[in-house]
């Protein structure tokens, strides 16, 4: 495993995403991932699966302290009282005493961001939360969160894959010691039959998914959280640290304009 260090804290470069997984499927995926060596798990209140993530970590042969655990607050719960109650609930469901990282799941233009970030900071002070961050924030909104937050913003979790390389946001994160957490690093499946990734993968005996994840994780300040419930894919997605893409391959893989390469929009798999 490789790690990314921001603000003095190291985070495993690959974590397990649990978006759109539920119940026993979530439990099984997290158990499989922990057995395969994952030590970074991502969930959210909105996924409705925190209880299963918690059970899986509890039942697995790992120490809670060794797992980097993220959850996210639903945007309709950003008022301080509601936020604090909802996080206490999340922590209970996750069967733990703290989360490593607490994110605002999406921007909520109706909420007072300063008040919300102050409530998050209170949770850090109490020891319920180690780091705070945001998700689906533009660079401008991220900068505003940094201005009003008493605690440093640890990450902005956004969609990041070869057709959405987030260049401006990433450069900003790199310059300001903020982690960029890449969700949907496989383009929600959209990069899996990409010809270039297949050809590059053949050089290293790797699948297109592995090449996409290597590409993401070779960027400084980036960690990736591919989602999978299949044992084979979960194991494959962490088996990417025994090869390295060269400069030319890294550049060719990023194709920010999906219209030009023709497939993404046509298939409806690559969102903005
Ligand atoms: P599955 O659960 O069957 O593995 P993303 O993280 O970009 O949103 O992509 C998630 C999708 O990609 C899921 O449908 C998942 O299905 C699939 N997936 C995850 N890892 C792999 C892999 N290594 N090879 C092929 N498909 C994968």
């Amino acid at each position: 495993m490789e790690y990314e260090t921001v603000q003095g804290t190291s985070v495993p470069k690959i974590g397990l995403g649990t978006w759109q997984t539920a119940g026993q499927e979530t439990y099984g995926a997290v158990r499989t991932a922990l057995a395969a060596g994952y030590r970074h798990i991502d969930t959210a209140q909105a996924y409705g699966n925190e209880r299963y993530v918690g059970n899986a970590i509890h039942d697995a042969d790992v120490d809670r302290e060794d797992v980097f655990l993220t959850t996210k607050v639903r945007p309709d719960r950003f008022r301080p009282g509601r936020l604090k109650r909802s996080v206490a609930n999340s922590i209970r469901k996750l069967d733990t005493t703290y989360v490593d990282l607490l994110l605002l799941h999406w921007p909520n233009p109706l909420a007072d961001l300063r008040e919300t970030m102050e409530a998050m900071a209170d949770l850090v002070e109490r020891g319920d939360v180690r780091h705070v961050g945001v998700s689906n924030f533009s660079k401008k909104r991220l900068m505003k969160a940094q201005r009003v937050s008493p605690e440093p913003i640890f990450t902005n979790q956004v969609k990041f894959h070869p057709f959405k390389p987030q260049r401006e946001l990433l450069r900003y994160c790199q310059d300001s010691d903020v982690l960029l957490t890449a969700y949907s690093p496989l383009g929600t499946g959209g990069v899996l039959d990409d010809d270039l990734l297949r050809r590059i993968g053949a050089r290293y005996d790797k699948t297109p998914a592995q090449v996409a994840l290597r590409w993401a994780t070779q960027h400084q300040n980036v960690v990736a959280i591919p989602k999978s419930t299949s044992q084979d894919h979960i194991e494959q997605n962490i088996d990417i640290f025994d090869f390295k893409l060269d400069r030319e391959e890294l550049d060719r893989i990023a194709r920010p304009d999906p219209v030009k390469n023709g497939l993404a929009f046509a298939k409806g798999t690559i969102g903005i």
Side-chain angles (χ1 to χ4, degrees):
M1 178 60 75
E2 289 179 2
Y3 296 81
E4 188 64 51
T5 302
V6 299
Q7 301 171 18
T9 297
S10 294
V11 183
K13 275 279 201 183
I14 289 286
L16 180 75
T18 63
W19 178 55
Q20 281 182 347
T21 75
Q24 287 307 317
E25 205 178 39
T26 308
Y27 177 87
V30 175
R31 284 297 302 266
T32 301
L34 292 170
Y38 287 61
R39 292 294 180 269
H40 174 185
I41 310 288
D42 181 275
T43 181
Q45 293 174 351
Y47 302 165
N49 61 16
E50 287 171 315
R51 189 180 304 283
Y52 297 91
V53 170
N55 288 345
I57 295 173
H58 178 265
D59 292 351
D61 191 18
V62 295
D63 290 338
R64 167 67 189 92
E65 280 289 325
D66 293 336
V67 179
F68 190 90
L69 179 60
T70 301
T71 195
K72 314 183 193 82
V73 186
R74 262 173 47 169
D76 56 339
R77 299 172 178 164
F78 287 178
R79 296 295 295 272
R82 190 87 201 278
L83 183 142
K84 287 177 185 175
R85 281 194 303 279
S86 82
V87 174
N89 219 354
S90 287
I91 288 173
R92 212 171 14 252
K93 286 183 182 160
L94 287 164
D95 194 17
T96 183
T97 54
Y98 69 97
V99 291
D100 296 271
L101 181 58
L102 180 70
L103 307 182
L104 301 181
H105 202 153
W106 294 87
N108 178 352
L110 299 175
D112 179 331
L113 189 56
R114 180 186 300 274
E115 190 182 80
T116 307
M117 295 314 305
E118 283 170 359
M120 303 266 276
D122 289 345
L123 295 174
V124 174
E125 182 122 326
R126 284 208 329 227
D128 294 349
V129 168
R130 298 255 161 103
H131 302 278
V132 300
V134 296
S135 182
N136 299 300
F137 272 40
S138 64
K139 178 182 152 194
K140 194 167 156 219
R141 262 188 216 277
L142 168 61
M143 291 168 84
K144 176 163 185 209
Q146 288 176 306
R147 274 199 307 278
V148 300
S149 176
E151 284 290 322
I153 303 295
F154 188 78
T155 195
N156 186 11
Q157 181 179 127
V158 293
K159 195 178 280 185
F160 180 89
H161 54 67
F163 307 136
K164 193 156 179 56
Q166 302 274 12
R167 287 188 169 136
E168 196 190 341
L169 178 65
L170 177 58
R171 198 162 308 123
Y172 178 74
C173 288
Q174 290 169 338
D175 289 345
S176 47
D177 196 25
V178 171
L179 189 69
L180 189 155
T181 304
Y183 78 75
S184 291
L186 308 175
T188 331
V191 305
L192 297 172
D193 52 5
D194 181 66
D195 226 36
L196 178 63
L197 294 179
R198 194 188 313 281
R199 276 185 277 124
I200 292 175
R203 294 179 193 160
Y204 301 101
D205 201 18
K206 296 288 174 183
T207 65
Q210 289 173 311
V211 175
L213 294 172
R214 195 60 183 126
W215 173 86
T217 55
Q218 274 187 233
H219 289 84
Q220 211 191 320
N221 285 56
V222 174
V223 300
I225 48 167
K227 185 202 89 177
S228 177
T229 52
S230 124
Q231 176 169 356
D232 177 40
H233 292 163
I234 289 171
E235 288 172 356
Q236 208 185 93
N237 293 348
I238 205 173
D239 181 22
I240 59 162
F241 300 109
D242 57 352
F243 76 111
K244 227 170 175 157
L245 300 165
D246 65 27
R247 187 73 257 165
E248 195 215 330
E249 289 166 336
L250 289 172
D251 288 345
R252 284 179 62 210
I253 287 170
R255 282 150 293 160
D257 184 352
V259 176
K260 261 190 220 143
N261 76 49
L263 58 92
F265 282 151
K267 283 201 197 124
T269 47
I270 310 294
I272 298 296

